[in-house]
Amino acid sequence: AAGIPSSKLRRTHLKAHPRFVPPSTRPHDGIFRIVYVGRVDPTKGVPLLVRAFSRLVVPQVKLILVGGWSSRAMRTFMENWMDHDPRISVRPGDPLPVLQTADVFVNPSCEDGFGYAPMEALACGVPVIVTEDTGMKEHVVEGENGYVLPTGNGKALLDQLRTLYHEWAAARP
């Protein structure tokens, strides 16, 4: 339609690396794991996630962030929250081992195109929570492999985490 010959067009299908697969077993230690992977940064929605998580008052739950600090200020922010809430941790390194123990993956970004981290979570069989202002919403089938929430809505995020926790707890023996 723009006058470019079709012979010059190449469609690229973005997908997770083949090493991202569901684990043979998930931990059965009674801990509900919420995981975020990416740059620990305000534009990625990390402060919103941390604040929502801090209001999730349920037993045996952890928030694990895998990634690096975007700034000293963000590092200070996170260290203060981790001092306040020991259920929160930040780890560097390979996200695969953490994703394979996750019960839900949260990508609360304010804006993103295609997100490899949420796609890797889906490839590992982990349901995802993404925001409306990301390209990942196109890969989420509501209630089947994840949930799409309004961007910046901490209450909606808390409510969804609470619902998923209670569904997880009810399914435990």
Side-chain angles (χ1 to χ4, degrees):
I4 299 169
S6 60
S7 62
K8 291 189 174 189
L9 300 176
R10 295 203 196 326
R11 183 173 180 103
T12 302
H13 296 279
L14 301 173
K15 57 186 177 180
H17 189 278
R19 74 187 190 99
F20 288 90
V21 296
S24 55
T25 61
R26 293 204 186 269
H28 296 289
D29 57 4
I31 298 173
F32 183 74
R33 290 174 178 82
I34 301 165
V35 172
Y36 164 87
V37 174
R39 188 175 70 244
V40 181
D41 183 88
T43 63
K44 296 293 188 175
V46 172
L48 178 84
L49 173 58
V50 169
R51 288 181 180 114
F53 176 79
S54 72
R55 294 175 40 217
L56 183 62
V57 184
V58 295
Q60 302 301 321
V61 64
K62 290 185 179 185
L63 172 61
I64 305 162
L65 295 93
V66 180
W69 318 111
S70 63
S71 66
R72 275 190 215 146
M74 194 64 200
R75 180 179 183 161
T76 300
F77 173 85
M78 288 305 304
E79 287 173 344
N80 288 337
W81 274 99
M82 289 185 292
D83 287 344
H84 172 74
D85 190 341
R87 304 174 305 160
I88 302 171
S89 64
V90 177
R91 302 176 186 177
D94 185 3
L96 181 59
V98 177
L99 287 173
Q100 290 187 330
T101 66
D103 294 294
V104 64
F105 177 91
V106 182
N107 185 43
S109 185
C110 300
E111 59 175 356
D112 260 334
F114 178 82
Y116 276 101
M119 191 58 77
E120 290 165 350
L122 288 173
C124 288
V126 180
V128 300
I129 297 173
V130 301
T131 61
E132 291 175 334
D133 291 317
T134 68
M136 279 308 300
K137 70 180 176 222
E138 297 170 10
H139 301 279
V140 174
V141 179
E142 191 76 23
E144 254 182 65
N145 67 351
Y147 305 88
V148 179
L149 302 181
T151 304
N153 190 326
K155 182 180 179 331
L157 178 55
L158 174 61
D159 290 346
Q160 189 63 63
L161 290 173
R162 198 176 277 138
T163 297
L164 291 171
Y165 172 83
H166 289 298
E167 288 172 0
W168 171 85
R172 310 298 299 170

